[in-house]
Amino acid sequence: MSPGHRHNERHRSDRIGWLRAAVLGANDGIVSTASLLVGVAAASTDHSAILITGVAGLVAGAMSMAAGEYVSVHSQADVEKADLKREKMELESAPDAELRELAAIYVARGLDPGLAHQVAQQLTQHDALGAHARDELGLSEALEARPIQAAMASAGSFAAGAALPLGVALLVPGDGLIPAIFGSSLLSLASLGALAARAGGADPWVGAGRVAFWGALAMALTAFVGRAFGATV
């Protein structure tokens, strides 16, 4: 293989940011909206009230997810920027100490001191801040915080997830509403868990079972609460 030729490899680490936000948003959209619908349906037979609750839950949940994800990831981005700014100042004020620090990192990873110092020198000449960001601070482009991307992924995936039980509520009125929402939501959650696990390189069956279990528990609890309050109102 020639030195200029790069062997292309496919890794999953670059999916962590958007995958986490999308899976979390879709999962919350299905679970929270289905639970709301099941809880209200258990307390009331007014179909219009059930639908209004579902729509309100979709809109409020999507905005809440977007805002929460944006604030959370933006805080992470602020910390990363502050660390890089401090590292840049240290490189300017004490370059020799920073070079020794970088070499010590490579020694700890298994290089002999002479080679570690040589590697640290060459990386410092090429991109000192990038080398320290990657090897000292653990920051990389693949894991970089992207607040807007995370917020949009969360809001969109929440709305998509919430639309599933809401669509079932729209199409199946009457006594069959609760079983229909429960069954379709569990199927959707299991499929989501399996797809997310597969995309992340994990066991799809474990992912499906984990997500479906917590979804079933959430819907069962809200149905119980709705039935209890509905019986006393």
Side-chain angles (χ1 to χ4, degrees):
M1 182 181 295
S2 62
H5 180 73
R6 181 177 179 180
H7 174 58
N8 291 323
E9 295 180 336
R10 297 180 63 186
H11 296 285
R12 294 181 171 90
S13 60
D14 58 345
R15 304 176 180 177
I16 291 176
W18 67 262
L19 181 61
R20 171 187 170 276
V23 170
L24 180 62
N27 180 79
D28 279 3
I30 296 172
V31 172
S32 62
T33 306
S35 298
L36 278 172
L37 292 170
V38 167
V40 175
S44 172
T45 57
D46 187 346
H47 193 244
S48 62
I50 297 172
L51 293 178
I52 292 173
T53 298
V55 173
L58 186 155
V59 175
M63 295 306 300
S64 176
M65 285 293 295
E69 195 71 21
Y70 181 83
V71 171
S72 174
V73 178
H74 207 292
S75 297
Q76 178 187 340
D78 289 342
V79 171
E80 292 177 0
K81 290 178 181 178
D83 282 344
L84 288 174
K85 182 178 179 180
R86 179 179 179 181
E87 195 64 32
K88 185 177 180 180
M89 293 173 60
E90 291 175 350
L91 284 168
E92 294 173 351
S93 61
D96 292 338
E98 290 298 305
L99 179 63
R100 291 193 297 269
E101 184 179 27
L102 194 60
I105 292 173
Y106 299 142
V107 170
R109 292 180 181 177
L111 296 183
D112 64 76
L115 181 57
H117 183 75
Q118 184 180 359
V119 171
Q121 274 188 323
Q122 292 187 7
L123 289 177
T124 298
Q125 291 172 1
H126 174 68
D127 182 7
L129 184 58
H132 282 270
R134 179 181 61 253
D135 296 321
E136 181 184 349
L137 302 178
L139 303 179
S140 68
E141 187 177 350
L143 302 178
E144 181 183 358
R146 297 179 175 88
I148 296 179
Q149 181 191 64
M152 292 179 65
S154 292
S157 57
F158 184 99
L164 294 174
L166 186 57
V168 173
L170 183 63
L171 297 174
V172 186
D175 295 336
L177 178 60
I178 292 179
I181 292 177
F182 202 94
S184 61
S185 296
L186 283 183
L187 180 61
S188 299
L189 287 169
S191 300
L192 175 66
L195 287 173
R198 186 176 181 85
D203 187 342
W205 291 104
V206 174
R210 181 169 52 223
V211 176
F213 168 77
W214 289 106
L217 181 61
M219 287 185 285
L221 288 175
T222 51
F224 173 77
V225 171
R227 187 74 68 182
F229 279 92
T232 58
V233 173

